[in-house]
Amino acid sequence: MRQVAVLVEGRTEECLVEDVLGPVAEKRGLYLVPIVVTTSATPTRAYRGGGHWKHYDNSLRGFLGQRHWYRVALLVDYYQYPKSAPGRDCEGLGEARQRKLVRELRRTYPDPRFRPFVVLHEVETLVLAAIDAGQGDGWIPRKGLAALRRAVKEAGGPECVDDGPATSPSKRLEKADPNYMKTVTGPLLIAQAGLGAVLERCPVFAEWWEDLLA
């Protein structure tokens, strides 16, 4: 089975790869190996997203230098895109700027095996897609669910929900449910909705995913 290293920001993304993306990829003959990039750690050893790009750069160059990997992928959030990362200062908003960032990543690391992706606007966008697909009852309070579905509709889709410090997908989920568990509830709702239903609502993510599996 062909091995794919997937560099991620933290435990939330690691769970997504392990519990949701990995099983689907295996059916296509790919074994996804999530690798958390160490940027900074809390006293409990929990990794935080963002941080300086030098940590990602070191990891990427290391894995791209190992020839046994069929592909080397990268998942980082558009919101709090790492400091000094390729394209960080480029202009634009939303998907237009996201595509510029991906192009800069590919230009900086020209290895044909490299599959970078900047998630619009956070990986929790996929959770919003699952909720939009009808999931969340019994896991998130009814009032909070209604607010999340309304936000997706008003934005024009999960990937359009903005990246403001109080209105990013993760912040909206925390407001909807103060007990929301990023590494448990999120992957569970995505799995319950089915990856197909989530990808249907997240075409930018779906484009990267199909390219990774091709």
Side-chain angles (χ1 to χ4, degrees):
M1 188 170 287
R2 297 167 296 180
Q3 291 185 311
V4 177
V6 185
L7 277 64
V8 299
E9 292 188 75
R11 180 59 183 156
T12 302
E13 293 83 358
E14 186 179 33
C15 289
L16 173 69
V17 174
E18 289 178 342
D19 301 337
V20 180
L21 303 181
V24 176
E26 284 191 30
K27 296 178 181 178
R28 301 276 288 269
L30 298 180
Y31 180 64
L32 304 188
V33 182
I35 296 126
V36 177
V37 176
T38 304
T39 56
S40 59
T42 69
T44 59
R45 299 178 64 83
Y47 299 103
R48 298 187 298 180
H52 199 282
W53 183 252
K54 65 181 179 181
H55 304 290
Y56 295 88
D57 180 72
N58 290 337
S59 293
L60 279 172
R61 294 188 186 281
F63 281 97
L64 288 170
Q66 299 171 13
R67 305 310 302 176
H68 70 281
W69 295 108
Y70 174 67
R71 291 218 168 101
V72 175
L74 172 71
L75 277 178
V76 293
D77 291 341
Y78 180 94
Y79 179 51
Q80 293 187 331
Y81 187 61
K83 298 174 183 177
S84 298
R88 166 90 181 201
D89 297 327
C90 73
E91 298 180 352
L93 296 171
E95 184 179 344
R97 181 169 180 268
Q98 183 266 355
R99 291 190 180 279
K100 290 181 182 179
L101 296 178
V102 172
R103 285 197 296 270
E104 281 300 305
L105 285 166
R106 286 182 176 273
R107 185 187 65 79
T108 304
Y109 308 92
D111 192 307
R113 298 171 300 152
F114 186 41
R115 295 295 188 276
F117 188 64
V118 180
V119 185
L120 281 171
H121 286 91
E122 295 179 289
V123 73
E124 282 80 13
T125 292
L126 305 182
V127 183
L128 294 185
I131 290 171
D132 186 59
Q135 300 304 312
D137 292 321
W139 290 95
I140 296 175
R142 185 177 302 175
K143 184 177 179 180
L145 271 180
L148 293 171
R149 288 173 179 147
R150 185 167 56 251
V152 171
K153 183 178 180 179
E154 291 175 351
E159 291 181 320
C160 297
V161 174
D162 66 62
D163 61 340
T167 54
S168 62
S170 62
K171 296 301 182 184
R172 290 179 186 270
L173 284 161
E174 290 171 4
K175 182 178 180 180
D177 180 9
N179 296 315
Y180 178 77
M181 295 179 287
K182 296 177 67 173
T183 60
V184 177
T185 310
L188 177 67
L189 294 182
I190 295 170
Q192 287 182 341
L195 188 57
V198 170
L199 295 178
E200 181 181 344
R201 291 165 171 80
C202 298
V204 181
F205 189 94
E207 181 182 335
W208 168 79
W209 176 241
E210 287 303 319
D211 182 51
L212 181 69
L213 297 182

Short mmCIF file of all heavy atoms in Angstrom, two decimals, residues 74-100:
data_model
loop_
_atom_site.label_atom_id
_atom_site.label_comp_id
_atom_site.label_asym_id
_atom_site.label_seq_id
_atom_site.Cartn_x
_atom_site.Cartn_y
_atom_site.Cartn_z
N LEU A 74 0.02 18.45 3.18
CA LEU A 74 0.05 19.44 4.26
C LEU A 74 -1.35 20.01 4.44
O LEU A 74 -2.00 20.38 3.46
CB LEU A 74 1.02 20.58 3.92
CG LEU A 74 1.00 21.79 4.86
CD1 LEU A 74 1.62 21.42 6.21
CD2 LEU A 74 1.76 22.96 4.24
N LEU A 75 -1.81 20.05 5.68
CA LEU A 75 -3.10 20.66 6.01
C LEU A 75 -2.85 21.78 7.02
O LEU A 75 -2.43 21.52 8.14
CB LEU A 75 -4.05 19.63 6.63
CG LEU A 75 -4.85 18.71 5.71
CD1 LEU A 75 -5.68 17.76 6.53
CD2 LEU A 75 -5.73 19.52 4.78
N VAL A 76 -3.09 23.03 6.60
CA VAL A 76 -3.01 24.16 7.52
C VAL A 76 -4.24 25.02 7.32
O VAL A 76 -4.85 25.03 6.24
CB VAL A 76 -1.74 25.01 7.31
CG1 VAL A 76 -0.49 24.24 7.68
CG2 VAL A 76 -1.65 25.52 5.87
N ASP A 77 -4.63 25.75 8.35
CA ASP A 77 -5.81 26.60 8.28
C ASP A 77 -5.48 27.93 7.61
O ASP A 77 -4.40 28.51 7.81
CB ASP A 77 -6.36 26.89 9.68
CG ASP A 77 -6.98 25.66 10.32
OD1 ASP A 77 -7.30 24.70 9.58
OD2 ASP A 77 -7.14 25.66 11.55
N TYR A 78 -6.44 28.44 6.86
CA TYR A 78 -6.36 29.79 6.30
C TYR A 78 -6.35 30.79 7.45
O TYR A 78 -5.58 31.75 7.45
CB TYR A 78 -7.57 30.01 5.40
CG TYR A 78 -7.65 31.37 4.75
CD1 TYR A 78 -7.14 31.58 3.47
CD2 TYR A 78 -8.28 32.44 5.39
CE1 TYR A 78 -7.25 32.82 2.85
CE2 TYR A 78 -8.38 33.67 4.77
CZ TYR A 78 -7.86 33.86 3.51
OH TYR A 78 -7.97 35.10 2.90
N TYR A 79 -7.22 30.55 8.43
CA TYR A 79 -7.27 31.39 9.62
C TYR A 79 -6.01 31.11 10.44
O TYR A 79 -5.68 29.97 10.73
CB TYR A 79 -8.53 31.06 10.42
CG TYR A 79 -8.69 31.86 11.70
CD1 TYR A 79 -8.59 33.24 11.70
CD2 TYR A 79 -8.94 31.22 12.90
CE1 TYR A 79 -8.75 33.97 12.85
CE2 TYR A 79 -9.11 31.94 14.07
CZ TYR A 79 -9.01 33.31 14.05
OH TYR A 79 -9.16 34.03 15.21
N GLN A 80 -5.28 32.14 10.78
CA GLN A 80 -4.02 32.04 11.51
C GLN A 80 -2.98 31.25 10.71
O GLN A 80 -2.25 30.42 11.24
CB GLN A 80 -4.24 31.39 12.89
CG GLN A 80 -5.04 32.25 13.83
CD GLN A 80 -5.12 31.71 15.25
OE1 GLN A 80 -5.05 30.49 15.47
NE2 GLN A 80 -5.26 32.59 16.21
N TYR A 81 -2.95 31.52 9.40
CA TYR A 81 -1.93 30.94 8.54
C TYR A 81 -0.57 31.24 9.15
O TYR A 81 -0.31 32.36 9.58
CB TYR A 81 -2.06 31.57 7.15
CG TYR A 81 -1.20 30.97 6.08
CD1 TYR A 81 -1.33 29.64 5.70
CD2 TYR A 81 -0.26 31.76 5.40
CE1 TYR A 81 -0.56 29.10 4.69
CE2 TYR A 81 0.52 31.24 4.39
CZ TYR A 81 0.38 29.90 4.03
OH TYR A 81 1.16 29.38 3.02
N PRO A 82 0.32 30.24 9.25
CA PRO A 82 1.57 30.40 10.00
C PRO A 82 2.41 31.62 9.61
O PRO A 82 2.47 32.00 8.43
CB PRO A 82 2.31 29.10 9.69
CG PRO A 82 1.23 28.12 9.44
CD PRO A 82 0.17 28.89 8.70
N LYS A 83 3.04 32.20 10.58
CA LYS A 83 3.90 33.35 10.37
C LYS A 83 5.06 32.98 9.44
O LYS A 83 5.65 31.91 9.57
CB LYS A 83 4.45 33.85 11.70
CG LYS A 83 3.38 34.33 12.67
CD LYS A 83 3.97 34.66 14.03
CE LYS A 83 2.88 35.07 15.01
NZ LYS A 83 3.43 35.32 16.36
N SER A 84 5.36 33.90 8.50
CA SER A 84 6.45 33.75 7.54
C SER A 84 6.24 32.60 6.54
O SER A 84 7.16 32.23 5.82
CB SER A 84 7.80 33.55 8.26
OG SER A 84 8.10 34.68 9.05
N ALA A 85 5.03 32.05 6.47
CA ALA A 85 4.74 30.99 5.51
C ALA A 85 4.71 31.56 4.10
O ALA A 85 4.44 32.75 3.91
CB ALA A 85 3.40 30.33 5.84
N PRO A 86 4.98 30.75 3.08
CA PRO A 86 4.95 31.23 1.69
C PRO A 86 3.62 31.90 1.36
O PRO A 86 2.56 31.35 1.62
CB PRO A 86 5.13 29.93 0.89
CG PRO A 86 5.95 29.05 1.79
CD PRO A 86 5.40 29.33 3.17
N GLY A 87 3.70 33.10 0.81
CA GLY A 87 2.51 33.83 0.40
C GLY A 87 1.78 34.55 1.51
O GLY A 87 0.73 35.14 1.27
N ARG A 88 2.30 34.51 2.70
CA ARG A 88 1.61 35.10 3.86
C ARG A 88 1.15 36.54 3.60
O ARG A 88 0.07 36.94 4.03
CB ARG A 88 2.56 35.06 5.07
CG ARG A 88 2.15 35.92 6.25
CD ARG A 88 1.28 35.21 7.22
NE ARG A 88 0.89 36.08 8.31
CZ ARG A 88 0.47 35.66 9.50
NH1 ARG A 88 0.38 34.37 9.75
NH2 ARG A 88 0.13 36.50 10.44
N ASP A 89 1.94 37.31 2.89
CA ASP A 89 1.63 38.73 2.67
C ASP A 89 0.87 38.99 1.38
O ASP A 89 0.67 40.15 1.01
CB ASP A 89 2.91 39.56 2.69
CG ASP A 89 3.62 39.52 4.04
OD1 ASP A 89 2.91 39.42 5.06
OD2 ASP A 89 4.86 39.56 4.06
N CYS A 90 0.46 37.94 0.69
CA CYS A 90 -0.24 38.17 -0.58
C CYS A 90 -1.62 38.76 -0.33
O CYS A 90 -2.22 38.58 0.72
CB CYS A 90 -0.36 36.86 -1.38
SG CYS A 90 -1.54 35.68 -0.73
N GLU A 91 -2.10 39.52 -1.31
CA GLU A 91 -3.37 40.21 -1.17
C GLU A 91 -4.54 39.32 -1.57
O GLU A 91 -4.37 38.26 -2.15
CB GLU A 91 -3.36 41.48 -2.03
CG GLU A 91 -2.29 42.48 -1.62
CD GLU A 91 -2.31 43.72 -2.49
OE1 GLU A 91 -3.04 43.72 -3.50
OE2 GLU A 91 -1.59 44.68 -2.16
N GLY A 92 -5.74 39.79 -1.24
CA GLY A 92 -6.93 39.05 -1.60
C GLY A 92 -7.67 38.55 -0.38
O GLY A 92 -7.21 38.67 0.76
N LEU A 93 -8.83 37.96 -0.63
CA LEU A 93 -9.67 37.43 0.44
C LEU A 93 -10.21 36.07 0.05
O LEU A 93 -10.33 35.74 -1.14
CB LEU A 93 -10.84 38.38 0.72
CG LEU A 93 -10.50 39.78 1.26
CD1 LEU A 93 -11.77 40.64 1.27
CD2 LEU A 93 -9.90 39.68 2.66
N GLY A 94 -10.55 35.28 1.05
CA GLY A 94 -11.24 34.03 0.82
C GLY A 94 -10.56 33.09 -0.14
O GLY A 94 -9.34 32.91 -0.12
N GLU A 95 -11.36 32.48 -1.04
CA GLU A 95 -10.85 31.46 -1.94
C GLU A 95 -9.77 31.99 -2.88
O GLU A 95 -8.80 31.29 -3.19
CB GLU A 95 -11.99 30.85 -2.75
CG GLU A 95 -11.54 29.71 -3.65
CD GLU A 95 -12.67 29.10 -4.43
OE1 GLU A 95 -13.85 29.32 -4.09
OE2 GLU A 95 -12.38 28.39 -5.41
N ALA A 96 -9.91 33.23 -3.34
CA ALA A 96 -8.92 33.80 -4.25
C ALA A 96 -7.54 33.84 -3.59
O ALA A 96 -6.53 33.46 -4.19
CB ALA A 96 -9.33 35.20 -4.69
N ARG A 97 -7.49 34.30 -2.35
CA ARG A 97 -6.21 34.35 -1.64
C ARG A 97 -5.75 32.95 -1.25
O ARG A 97 -4.56 32.64 -1.30
CB ARG A 97 -6.34 35.21 -0.38
CG ARG A 97 -5.03 35.34 0.41
CD ARG A 97 -5.13 36.39 1.49
NE ARG A 97 -3.89 36.52 2.23
CZ ARG A 97 -3.61 35.85 3.37
NH1 ARG A 97 -4.53 35.03 3.89
NH2 ARG A 97 -2.46 36.00 3.98
N GLN A 98 -6.69 32.09 -0.91
CA GLN A 98 -6.34 30.71 -0.55
C GLN A 98 -5.60 30.02 -1.69
O GLN A 98 -4.60 29.32 -1.48
CB GLN A 98 -7.62 29.93 -0.19
CG GLN A 98 -7.38 28.51 0.26
CD GLN A 98 -7.50 27.49 -0.88
OE1 GLN A 98 -7.86 27.83 -2.00
NE2 GLN A 98 -7.20 26.25 -0.56
N ARG A 99 -6.07 30.24 -2.91
CA ARG A 99 -5.43 29.61 -4.07
C ARG A 99 -4.03 30.19 -4.31
O ARG A 99 -3.11 29.48 -4.73
CB ARG A 99 -6.31 29.75 -5.30
CG ARG A 99 -7.58 28.91 -5.20
CD ARG A 99 -8.35 28.85 -6.49
NE ARG A 99 -9.55 28.04 -6.37
CZ ARG A 99 -9.59 26.70 -6.43
NH1 ARG A 99 -8.48 26.02 -6.64
NH2 ARG A 99 -10.73 26.05 -6.31
N LYS A 100 -3.85 31.47 -4.01
CA LYS A 100 -2.53 32.07 -4.11
C LYS A 100 -1.57 31.43 -3.10
O LYS A 100 -0.41 31.16 -3.42
CB LYS A 100 -2.60 33.58 -3.86
CG LYS A 100 -3.27 34.38 -4.95
CD LYS A 100 -3.26 35.86 -4.60
CE LYS A 100 -3.96 36.70 -5.65
NZ LYS A 100 -3.97 38.14 -5.28
#
